[in-house]
């Protein structure tokens, strides 16, 4: 289909689904119908990311890929901070269904912008696309191993909005506002420091940046096992965010370098699958650990830290043997 056509189609379908969601919420439809449309809409909008990532790789010189993905993360975190703030304000003045109507407006604006200002960057693949042809990328062992190591970190990073929320509010008895401040701190640090740090990443090298990102992730999550006060939780969040700033844009830049141009979308999609699996399965493991060790948080967070340290070791050997 090409990057541009897929992007426009995804935004159009996503906007229609958000409109349907706004209608269902507005008429107080059964919860199951709302949940079904929500799942479909989120699944459709997830299709944006392989095409966006491939577009960035197409348009950016190799030596500036990390900075480009860093800028993408800045934009994402501005939205992460602004969306809930705007939604929280509007919820006090308009019916709840209108909040989903706002998503229709933003999707439409994005679609109009892409239609007028975005050019196609890919040479359309005329080969017949089959399951076997897609799975051929599994023969690229260097890429598959890199993705598997990233999966470990994604499973750790997925604790941020799931396990951490239950832990901070229900286990160590911080307020929900304080948990919200932890996420706000995370977003603000990314907004202010992500792009400047990318210049440093280019100097020290992408692979060193990934290893340091894994180590900081491990130290930050390990520190949560000894959290006794809000200030300690803030300090741990700073370390975790530092790991995120180093790790996230760098991995996308490396995937862009590893993927052949004619298969860039498939590579980005496969990498996105590992991210989705990590963010989905990681919180399941975290929830089980919370249930089994409710009285000793060290046994909840130590496995997360050890997983991140193991990923750092794995990336070290991957780089030396690739």
């Amino acid at each position: 289909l090409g990057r541009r056509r897929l992007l426009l189609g995804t935004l159009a379908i996503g906007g229609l689904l958000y409109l349907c969601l706004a209608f269902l919420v507005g008429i107080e439809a059964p919860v199951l119908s709302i949940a079904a449309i929500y799942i479909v809409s989120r699944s459709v909008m997830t299709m944006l990311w392989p095409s966006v990532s491939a577009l960035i790789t197409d348009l950016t010189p190799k030596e500036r890929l990390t900075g480009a993905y860093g800028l993408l993360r800045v934009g994402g975190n501005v939205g992460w901070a602004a969306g809930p703030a705007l939604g929280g304000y509007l919820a006090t003045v308009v019916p709840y269904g209108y909040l989903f109507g706002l998503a229709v407006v933003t999707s439409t604006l994005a679609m109009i912008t892409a239609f007028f200002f975005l050019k196609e960057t890919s040479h359309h693949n005329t080969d017949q696309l089959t399951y076997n042809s897609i799975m051929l990328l599994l023969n690229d062992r260097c890429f598959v191993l890199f993705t598997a190591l990233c999966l470990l970190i994604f499973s750790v990073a997925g604790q941020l909005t799931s396990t951490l929320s239950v832990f901070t509010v229900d286990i160590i008895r911080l307020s929900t506002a304080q948990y919200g401040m932890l996420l706000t701190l995370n977003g603000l640090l990314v907004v202010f420091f992500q792009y400047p740090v990318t210049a440093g990443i280019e100097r020290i090298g992408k692979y060193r940046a990934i290893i340091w990102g894994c180590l900081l992730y491990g130290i930050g999550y390990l520190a949560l096992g000894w959290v006794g006060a809000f200030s300690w939780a803030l300090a741990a969040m700073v370390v975790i965010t530092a790991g995120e700033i180093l790790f996230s844009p760098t991995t996308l830049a490396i995937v862009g370098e590893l993927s052949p141009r004619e298969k860039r979308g498939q590579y980005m999609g496969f990498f996105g699958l590992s991210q989705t699996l990590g963010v989905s399965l990681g919180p399941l493991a975290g929830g089980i650990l919370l249930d089994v060790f409710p009285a000793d948080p060290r046994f909840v967070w130590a496995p997360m830290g050890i997983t991140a340290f193991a990923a750092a070791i794995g990336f070290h050997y991957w780089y030396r043997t690739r």
Side-chain angles (χ1 to χ4, degrees), residues 207-224:
Y207 303 103
R208 289 180 181 174
I210 282 185
I211 291 171
W212 274 107
C214 293
L215 293 174
L216 288 170
Y217 261 127
I219 294 169
Y221 278 102
L222 197 61
L224 290 173

Side-chain angles (χ1 to χ4, degrees), residues 4-232:
R4 182 175 180 271
R5 189 179 297 176
L6 179 61
L7 187 64
L8 291 171
T10 301
L11 288 168
I13 297 171
L16 290 174
L17 288 169
Y18 280 130
L19 183 63
C20 182
L21 197 60
F23 174 75
L24 292 175
V25 172
I27 65 172
E28 299 182 4
V31 172
L32 285 179
S33 63
I34 295 174
I37 295 298
Y38 173 76
I39 291 171
V40 173
S41 65
R42 286 300 299 267
S43 301
V44 168
M45 295 304 283
T46 301
M47 292 167 56
L48 285 172
W49 293 110
S51 54
V52 168
S53 299
L55 274 165
I56 290 174
T57 305
D58 291 342
L59 294 170
T60 309
K62 180 179 177 180
E63 66 275 7
R64 297 178 61 187
L65 266 179
T66 307
Y69 283 116
L71 191 60
L72 177 67
R73 283 189 50 74
V74 171
N77 276 269
V78 170
W80 176 269
L86 180 60
Y89 168 74
L90 290 176
T92 64
V93 295
V94 298
Y96 200 74
Y98 282 79
L99 304 183
F100 297 96
L102 181 64
V104 179
V105 175
T106 55
S107 297
T108 303
L109 289 174
M111 185 173 63
I112 292 172
T113 303
F115 182 81
F116 285 104
F117 297 104
L118 190 65
K119 295 181 180 180
E120 182 58 73
T121 63
S122 70
H123 302 288
H124 296 286
N125 187 351
T126 57
D127 297 336
Q128 184 177 2
L129 206 60
T130 65
Y131 177 80
N132 289 333
S133 67
I134 295 173
M135 288 299 103
L136 280 176
L137 64 83
L138 294 177
N139 294 330
D140 188 343
R141 295 183 179 180
C142 178
F143 169 71
V144 171
L145 179 56
F146 178 81
T147 305
L149 291 170
C150 288
L151 175 61
L152 294 178
I153 294 297
F154 291 142
S155 67
V156 174
Q159 312 301 322
L160 193 66
T161 55
S162 55
T163 310
L164 185 61
S165 64
V166 178
F167 172 72
T168 53
V169 177
D170 292 347
I171 304 297
I172 62 174
R173 300 300 179 183
L174 297 181
S175 67
T176 51
Q178 287 174 317
Y179 169 69
M181 289 176 66
L182 291 176
L183 294 188
T184 300
L185 175 65
N186 172 263
L188 290 176
L189 288 174
V190 171
V191 169
F192 287 112
F193 292 104
Q194 179 68 82
Y195 196 70
V197 167
T198 54
I201 291 175
E202 294 297 342
R203 284 197 295 269
I204 68 173
K206 296 182 180 67
Y207 303 103
R208 289 180 181 174
I210 282 185
I211 291 171
W212 274 107
C214 293
L215 293 174
L216 288 170
Y217 261 127
I219 294 169
Y221 278 102
L222 197 61
L224 290 173
W226 284 266
V227 167
F230 181 53
S231 58
W232 186 260

